[in-house]
Amino acid sequence: MLRELESLAEMFIKESKAWIAVGLFYMIMFPVAIVFALGQIVSRSYTFYLLSGTITFQVALTGLLSVPSSIGMDREAGRISLMIASGVPAWAYAITSTLVNNVFAVASGLLLAGVAEALGFISLTPLTVGLLVASLLVSAFQSSMIGLALASKIRNWRLLQQVDQIAAFGLTFFAPVYFPLGLVPRDLLPIAMMEPTTYVAQAVRLSLQGSLSSILWDLATLAYGTIFGLLASRWGLS
């Protein structure tokens, strides 16, 4: 089984070479440009929201866009059915698919934090870095499980492409990601609390501030991802 996982990981890494240019742009250049440009005009009190919002955006792009798109292409080409027929468990394929994408998401989040510190926007300590790594890991898990559930439920590739793009961008800009949760009107608060990016943004922001309360949001993020993981398992990929 370990050999099969290694082969799958190697396959996904080779596939990633086809979109390495756009991947580097969206995972490195684009978020760094947002933090650098907007960091010059937002007030210092909102710097953490800018940074946590951009990291959340990166996680959403990876889990809600890259993961279902990759799975959708493999299913459209018949590769998933072929792998399952050859004895590769569906769960092994799913884990490898999400894992490769999540490595980029976590690395991008850490890079953004480093750039923000270099620009003088924030100050990192061993505590904040540890909390940030924990938040990034559970956030990437949550986002990829939602993406996996989307790919499991929607079998039409063109429809899946539309839905995952709307989800990635909609759950970033129509949720309290770039602004405080307290600014959400009371009537809309229940909707905001249903959005997965709400939990990711709070966990990342509090971790950057060195607050241990980020762990509570991490647990909520983990629970959210587990629910969608169970749904994906029920619906299946083939």
Side-chain angles (χ1 to χ4, degrees), residues 14-103:
K14 288 182 178 180
E15 286 182 355
S16 67
K17 294 179 180 179
W19 47 265
I20 188 67
V22 68
L24 290 176
F25 175 78
Y26 277 107
M27 293 179 182
I28 299 177
M29 297 176 63
F30 180 63
V32 169
I34 289 179
V35 172
F36 177 77
L38 298 183
Q40 308 299 324
I41 60 176
V42 301
S43 64
R44 289 299 178 181
S45 60
Y46 278 85
T47 300
F48 285 103
Y49 292 99
L50 170 62
L51 183 56
S52 62
T54 305
I55 291 176
T56 301
F57 185 31
Q58 284 301 102
V59 172
L61 282 178
T62 302
L64 299 178
L65 193 58
S66 298
V67 169
S69 294
S70 177
I71 293 175
M73 285 190 294
D74 284 344
R75 184 163 53 207
E76 186 75 7
R79 284 192 289 268
I80 293 181
S81 298
L82 181 62
M83 283 186 285
I84 293 177
S86 63
V88 177
W91 64 264
Y93 169 84
I95 289 177
T96 311
S97 173
T98 57
L99 180 61
V100 172
N101 284 284
N102 287 341
V103 168

Side-chain angles (χ1 to χ4, degrees), residues 93-202:
Y93 169 84
I95 289 177
T96 311
S97 173
T98 57
L99 180 61
V100 172
N101 284 284
N102 287 341
V103 168
F104 288 101
V106 174
S108 178
L110 293 175
L111 174 65
L112 275 176
V115 170
E117 183 183 41
L119 294 173
F121 296 153
I122 62 173
S123 178
L124 295 176
T125 66
L127 175 61
T128 58
V129 172
L131 292 174
L132 177 60
V133 170
S135 295
L136 286 172
L137 289 174
V138 296
S139 298
F141 167 77
Q142 182 219 64
S143 183
S144 61
M145 287 301 103
I146 296 175
L148 191 61
L150 287 175
S152 300
K153 186 65 175 178
I154 304 175
R155 303 306 174 101
N156 185 295
W157 187 34
R158 291 180 175 81
L159 177 60
L160 177 61
Q161 287 182 307
Q162 298 178 58
V163 172
D164 60 31
Q165 290 185 46
I166 292 174
F169 287 90
L171 291 175
T172 297
F173 297 104
F174 291 93
V177 170
Y178 279 101
F179 58 90
L181 180 61
L183 294 181
V184 177
R186 183 177 299 178
D187 294 339
L188 298 178
L189 189 58
I191 297 178
M193 296 307 296
M194 293 175 61
E195 298 182 274
T197 45
T198 297
Y199 300 89
V200 174
Q202 307 310 310

